[in-house]
Amino acid sequence: MNIVNVKDFDLRREVDYGTPEQNERAKQIVQDVKQEGDAALLRYTAELDRTQLEASQLRVTPEELQAAYARVEPSFVEAISAAAHNIRAFHNREKRNSWMDLQPDGSILGQIIRPLKRVGVYVPGGKAAYPSSVLMNVIPAQVAGVPEIVMVTPPATGGKDGIDPYILVAAAEAGVHEIYRVGGAQAIAALAYGTESIAPVDKICGPGNIYVALAKREVYGAVDIDSIAGPSEIVVLADEHADVAFVAADLLSQAEHDEMASAILVTPSQALADAVSAEVQRQLALLPRREIAAASIRDYGAIILVESLAEGISVVNRLAPEHLEIMVEEPMAYAGMIENAGAIFLGPYSSEPVGDYFAGPNHIIPTNGTARFSSPVDVDDFIKKSSMIYYSKEALMKNGATIMELARREGLEAHARAIEVRLQRVGEAGA
Amino acid sequence: MNIVNVKDFDLRREVDYGTPEQNERAKQIVQDVKQEGDAALLRYTAELDRTQLEASQLRVTPEELQAAYARVEPSFVEAISAAAHNIRAFHNREKRNSWMDLQPDGSILGQIIRPLKRVGVYVPGGKAAYPSSVLMNVIPAQVAGVPEIVMVTPPATGGKDGIDPYILVAAAEAGVHEIYRVGGAQAIAALAYGTESIAPVDKICGPGNIYVALAKREVYGAVDIDSIAGPSEIVVLADEHADVAFVAADLLSQAEHDEMASAILVTPSQALADAVSAEVQRQLALLPRREIAAASIRDYGAIILVESLAEGISVVNRLAPEHLEIMVEEPMAYAGMIENAGAIFLGPYSSEPVGDYFAGPNHIIPTNGTARFSSPVDVDDFIKKSSMIYYSKEALMKNGATIMELARREGLEAHARAIEVRLQRVGEAGA
């Protein structure tokens, strides 16, 4: 693993927005489904997913869901159910109530907080069809109180016959209300605009291939979308007290995701750097996905040597990583110094997979330096707020002149008159 | 004013993303400033804003800010300061703390909530240079705790000599830390990428012309941006108890904004519809901005007759208006039925300008039906969240096998081994 000086390193990468041909294709599919509904949806499913379906077959039935439970190990059901429980418990802490501020003049100001009404979750059909991602996308929406959570996924997962039963079980455990066997840009269009079989949603989440990403960009505005994730990243900040094997294993767990994943160690310890570099090679050779992990480590992996942990913190804040592990003697003392990181894992036992699968916080986290200004998926992503203003007669009498002065200063006379007509009316009534 | 049946009405409008030439131009300006810094910034300021500046003149000085106070009426300072006080009080209620959940097994899970570090607010230089918008963009950032709030605005406001002193006073009252006299796409590029004189920000907010909007889209990803607002809208839901003059005045206060603004009355009362239609014509004739308001009322205004207030509520929810006024006999009883509206004004004295200028809730509110899934600007727009996971040895021993099962089910062996290496180490220590 390369050991480099911090000055020679830049983590930021461009997001792939596809070729012009891919853009054109995604746009065409979206337009066709928007205009033709089910007919186009079924045509593209036949063409792109090689599956002939009738409209009546689009929706996964309760019987199929039950059958999926019979096709997976009971230990998997227990594991995914335990994970769902933890994720639900964590996200429950994020919930907020509508509130109001009662003023002594009789006015009431407030913020009404409501769930979105209908949310669509895309689950890809390739090898990245992860049950854990189903939980992470669906549970925050469920906790927010979204009454209609819709999942779409291609009719056959990763070349298998039908939808992966593990995905179906995860969907049921997470609390999905409707599942449709459609994928690609056509599924995104169906969620955004609706067809005869699928009612339109307010927001679309979940990862997908480039056509899915382009279709989401295309429908944005008609519906909300989540952010488009870049390759996954980990930064480990460690000192000489860190366990070499733990650090190496955690770097590799990120590297195995895909060739563009990034795994970086930041350390002031030359000894740790050397030892981790060797240990990564040793563990790497034993991994089933060693070709992917090796490419990731070669192209996007690095060990960055710094002068001190203080400089290390500053490097971390500039990198603004998706995942940060802090394995130093006093990890808690450093949490407060981290300004930019999507998720912070503290101490020797907080390995990233703990958070990927089980602990409770969301594993959908801002990538590519965007932790500077964005946040892991949470309940807030599935609510909307309305301001509420009940202004009393007394309040308007007291403040009307000030409001009119501000409106007239901006040249908006009709705004001032909307106040004035009320002050006059109250004056007449008083006279 | 047209009285139409609800079936014949569609509020949704396409957002203007500019001509290809405008897109090309905005892109070019952004690229030039990104690459050349101050040199390009000053060149475009000379060319587009016809103002020759040195780099050292970009920043507005404390002396200029003081001088601005001397150029405005003391009553304006009092009014804007009272408005700022109310807006601050309301937004203070939105603040949230970092929190943690201490588990009996020694683990700690939490959400760290922090302000963004540096935020840029664009203030346009044309006639829409509104002091109230300065407050509404800046105060939520200030309340969130953003330590560096930067304002940019063209070197001369609306053809005047220099920046409008009312804008400068509003900026000072709101708590802006730095002000630069630059505008247009070049100002957006400077905020996103930084120049020798202006440090880059994490998020850019505020309205502007089409070049500003296109530049914001262009830099999105490198920094966060706010949403791009469409024309302003009001829907008034009223019954026969509503004051005709109040309803007409409020519709017109929206219509005077611009020709594309939309003002709609929804009512089950034919008598109210007829009376408001006539009253709008009467009040319209007396307005200084009557040409703008007349065009808005003609092209985007309507009185929608419904069968009942219940149907009216359903129409409102489909329209998902930016501003909703409810002027019925029992307004409070209807608030809970509104699913989609950016801001809800209840009762006869809650005229929209009360919220535009003074009451406290933000006046930057989702337009064009997006209140279905988005929210008024608030403190949440200026914070970021990090998940925190401190997992104890006990927790890992207890849950490690479950985590490994989930990882292996997804084919991610290196994830499982990151757990396994720890379980082995603990086992060795125990043996």
Side-chain angles (χ1 to χ4, degrees):
Chain A
M1 206 167 166
N2 263 342
I3 303 180
V4 299
N5 190 294
V6 54
K7 287 193 300 296
D8 305 322
F9 200 80
D10 181 17
L11 185 67
R12 212 69 72 78
R13 282 176 271 165
E14 296 293 320
V15 177
D16 178 14
Y17 287 135
T19 65
E21 292 73 27
Q22 289 170 324
N23 267 281
E24 209 38 62
R25 178 72 167 150
K27 237 176 231 203
Q28 186 64 52
I29 296 172
V30 167
Q31 275 311 311
D32 288 352
V33 174
K34 184 179 179 185
Q35 256 140 48
E36 301 171 45
D38 278 350
L41 189 60
L42 297 170
R43 195 169 69 237
Y44 281 115
T45 300
E47 178 190 335
L48 303 173
D49 286 320
R50 290 158 200 212
T51 309
Q52 292 283 352
L53 294 174
E54 309 278 324
S56 64
Q57 298 171 304
L58 283 170
R59 185 159 176 182
V60 172
T61 63
E63 292 73 30
E64 287 174 87
L65 220 49
Q66 276 312 312
Y69 274 86
R71 292 170 63 198
V72 307
E73 306 76 27
S75 67
F76 172 78
V77 179
E78 269 174 51
I80 203 86
S81 164
H85 175 270
N86 291 346
I87 297 164
R88 205 167 275 127
F90 185 85
H91 287 76
N92 260 319
R93 298 288 305 257
E94 298 165 356
K95 282 190 78 167
R96 288 185 290 171
N97 289 318
S98 298
W99 56 265
M100 57 181 175
D101 191 9
L102 301 148
Q103 316 261 323
D105 63 15
S107 298
I108 304 175
L109 306 174
Q111 208 177 28
I112 301 169
I113 297 179
R114 285 178 208 279
L116 304 188
K117 194 169 175 193
R118 188 171 164 90
V119 165
V121 175
Y122 188 89
V123 176
K127 286 185 183 157
Y130 293 144
S132 60
S133 291
V134 174
L135 302 189
M136 295 293 183
N137 271 298
V138 170
I139 291 176
Q142 190 207 32
V143 170
V146 176
E148 301 175 18
I149 304 174
V150 185
M151 187 176 107
V152 294
T153 191
T157 304
K160 291 177 211 160
D161 181 23
I163 301 169
D164 182 11
Y166 296 93
I167 292 291
L168 291 177
V169 168
E173 293 294 321
V176 168
H177 302 101
E178 304 166 31
I179 306 175
Y180 297 92
R181 56 184 107 251
V182 284
Q186 62 272 23
I188 300 299
L191 289 174
Y193 301 110
T195 70
E196 298 87 331
S197 301
I198 303 178
V201 302
D202 298 313
K203 179 165 186 166
I204 302 174
C205 312
N209 65 18
I210 184 71
Y211 293 102
V212 169
L214 292 172
K216 280 164 69 179
R217 274 166 55 92
E218 182 67 19
V219 302
Y220 176 61
V223 297
D224 197 15
I225 59 170
D226 59 357
S227 61
I228 292 169
S232 198
E233 316 145 359
I234 192 172
V235 171
V236 179
L237 177 69
D239 64 12
E240 69 280 12
H241 299 283
D243 186 302
V244 171
F246 294 6
V247 174
D250 292 358
L251 293 171
L252 286 169
S253 79
Q254 193 60 237
E256 78 169 339
H257 270 296
D258 68 79
E259 291 84 350
M260 287 191 69
S262 162
I264 292 168
L265 169 63
V266 177
T267 183
S269 164
Q270 178 77 53
L272 184 79
D274 293 337
V276 167
S277 182
E279 177 68 9
V280 162
Q281 295 312 317
R282 196 190 68 76
Q283 293 188 15
L284 180 57
L286 306 171
L287 285 179
R289 290 164 72 93
R290 57 184 163 273
E291 289 187 18
I292 292 169
S296 156
I297 291 288
R298 183 190 65 226
D299 295 339
Y300 298 104
I303 298 175
I304 302 181
L305 270 177
V306 287
E307 289 292 315
S308 61
L309 280 178
E311 193 194 10
I313 293 279
S314 136
V315 169
V316 166
N317 283 330
R318 275 153 52 208
L319 293 174
E322 181 190 18
H323 305 96
L324 170 67
E325 288 185 0
I326 303 186
M327 285 195 262
V328 300
E329 201 178 12
E330 290 276 2
M332 275 299 184
Y334 291 87
M337 302 174 195
I338 301 302
E339 288 174 12
N340 303 317
I344 305 173
F345 296 77
L346 295 162
Y349 301 104
S350 309
S351 178
E352 195 207 300
V354 165
D356 290 342
Y357 290 108
F358 198 75
N362 211 289
H363 80 194
I364 307 164
I365 306 172
T367 56
N368 206 23
T370 58
R372 270 168 44 240
F373 50 75
S374 55
S375 306
V377 165
D378 71 359
V379 171
D380 287 345
D381 292 304
F382 298 99
I383 58 122
K384 60 193 171 188
K385 297 167 250 179
S386 302
S387 304
M388 190 190 92
I389 297 179
Y390 172 80
Y391 220 51
S392 68
K393 189 199 286 186
E394 188 185 329
L396 194 73
M397 295 301 290
K398 194 174 95 194
N399 301 310
T402 305
I403 298 170
M404 288 164 62
E405 163 150 17
L406 291 168
R408 291 193 165 122
R409 167 55 43 212
E410 295 186 355
L412 296 175
E413 179 63 22
H415 283 63
R417 291 192 190 172
I419 304 299
E420 199 167 49
V421 65
R422 287 166 164 90
L423 298 183
Q424 280 166 356
R425 184 77 82 237
V426 175
E428 289 159 21
Chain B
M1 206 167 166
N2 262 343
I3 303 179
V4 299
N5 191 292
V6 54
K7 287 193 300 296
D8 305 321
F9 200 78
D10 181 17
L11 186 66
R12 211 73 69 78
R13 280 175 271 166
E14 297 293 321
V15 177
D16 179 13
Y17 288 135
T19 65
E21 292 72 30
Q22 288 171 324
N23 267 280
E24 211 36 66
R25 179 69 168 153
K27 239 178 229 202
Q28 186 63 53
I29 295 172
V30 167
Q31 276 310 314
D32 288 351
V33 173
K34 184 180 178 184
Q35 255 139 50
E36 301 172 48
D38 277 351
L41 189 60
L42 297 170
R43 197 170 66 238
Y44 281 115
T45 300
E47 180 189 334
L48 302 172
D49 286 320
R50 289 156 200 212
T51 309
Q52 293 283 353
L53 293 174
E54 308 280 323
S56 64
Q57 298 172 303
L58 283 170
R59 185 160 177 182
V60 171
T61 63
E63 292 72 29
E64 286 173 87
L65 221 48
Q66 275 313 312
Y69 274 85
R71 291 170 61 200
V72 306
E73 306 76 28
S75 66
F76 172 78
V77 179
E78 268 174 53
I80 203 88
S81 164
H85 175 269
N86 291 345
I87 297 165
R88 204 168 277 127
F90 185 85
H91 288 77
N92 261 319
R93 297 288 304 257
E94 299 165 355
K95 282 191 78 167
R96 287 186 290 172
N97 289 317
S98 298
W99 56 265
M100 57 182 176
D101 190 8
L102 300 149
Q103 316 261 324
D105 63 15
S107 298
I108 303 175
L109 306 174
Q111 206 176 31
I112 301 169
I113 297 179
R114 287 178 206 280
L116 303 188
K117 196 168 174 193
R118 188 170 164 90
V119 165
V121 175
Y122 189 88
V123 176
K127 285 188 182 153
Y130 293 143
S132 60
S133 290
V134 174
L135 302 189
M136 294 293 184
N137 273 296
V138 171
I139 290 175
Q142 190 208 33
V143 170
V146 176
E148 300 175 19
I149 305 174
V150 185
M151 186 177 107
V152 294
T153 191
T157 304
K160 290 178 210 159
D161 181 23
I163 303 170
D164 181 11
Y166 296 92
I167 292 291
L168 291 176
V169 168
E173 292 294 321
V176 167
H177 301 102
E178 303 165 31
I179 305 174
Y180 297 93
R181 59 184 105 250
V182 283
Q186 60 273 22
I188 300 300
L191 289 173
Y193 301 109
T195 70
E196 299 87 332
S197 300
I198 303 178
V201 302
D202 298 314
K203 179 165 186 166
I204 302 174
C205 311
N209 66 17
I210 185 68
Y211 293 102
V212 169
L214 292 171
K216 280 165 70 180
R217 273 165 56 92
E218 182 68 21
V219 302
Y220 176 59
V223 297
D224 196 14
I225 59 170
D226 58 357
S227 61
I228 293 170
S232 197
E233 314 145 2
I234 191 171
V235 171
V236 179
L237 176 70
D239 64 12
E240 70 278 13
H241 300 282
D243 187 303
V244 171
F246 294 5
V247 173
D250 292 359
L251 293 171
L252 286 169
S253 79
Q254 195 58 240
E256 78 169 335
H257 269 296
D258 67 81
E259 290 84 350
M260 288 190 68
S262 163
I264 292 169
L265 169 63
V266 177
T267 182
S269 164
Q270 178 78 53
L272 185 78
D274 293 337
V276 167
S277 182
E279 177 69 9
V280 162
Q281 296 312 318
R282 196 191 66 77
Q283 291 189 16
L284 180 57
L286 306 171
L287 286 178
R289 290 163 73 92
R290 59 185 162 270
E291 288 186 19
I292 292 169
S296 155
I297 291 287
R298 183 189 66 225
D299 296 338
Y300 299 103
I303 298 174
I304 302 181
L305 269 177
V306 287
E307 289 292 314
S308 61
L309 279 178
E311 193 194 11
I313 293 281
S314 137
V315 168
V316 166
N317 283 329
R318 276 152 55 209
L319 293 174
E322 182 190 16
H323 305 95
L324 170 67
E325 289 185 359
I326 304 186
M327 285 196 261
V328 299
E329 201 177 12
E330 289 277 1
M332 274 300 183
Y334 291 88
M337 303 175 194
I338 301 302
E339 289 174 12
N340 303 318
I344 305 173
F345 296 77
L346 296 162
Y349 301 104
S350 308
S351 178
E352 195 207 299
V354 165
D356 290 342
Y357 289 108
F358 197 74
N362 211 289
H363 80 195
I364 306 164
I365 305 172
T367 56
N368 209 21
T370 59
R372 269 167 46 239
F373 51 76
S374 56
S375 306
V377 165
D378 71 359
V379 170
D380 287 346
D381 291 304
F382 298 99
I383 57 123
K384 60 193 172 191
K385 296 167 251 181
S386 301
S387 303
M388 190 190 92
I389 297 179
Y390 171 81
Y391 220 50
S392 68
K393 189 199 286 186
E394 189 185 329
L396 194 72
M397 296 300 290
K398 194 174 96 193
N399 301 310
T402 305
I403 298 169
M404 287 163 63
E405 163 152 16
L406 290 168
R408 290 193 167 123
R409 168 53 45 210
E410 295 187 354
L412 296 175
E413 179 63 24
H415 282 62
R417 291 193 190 172
I419 304 299
E420 198 168 49
V421 64
R422 287 166 164 89
L423 298 184
Q424 280 165 359
R425 183 78 83 239
V426 175
E428 288 159 21

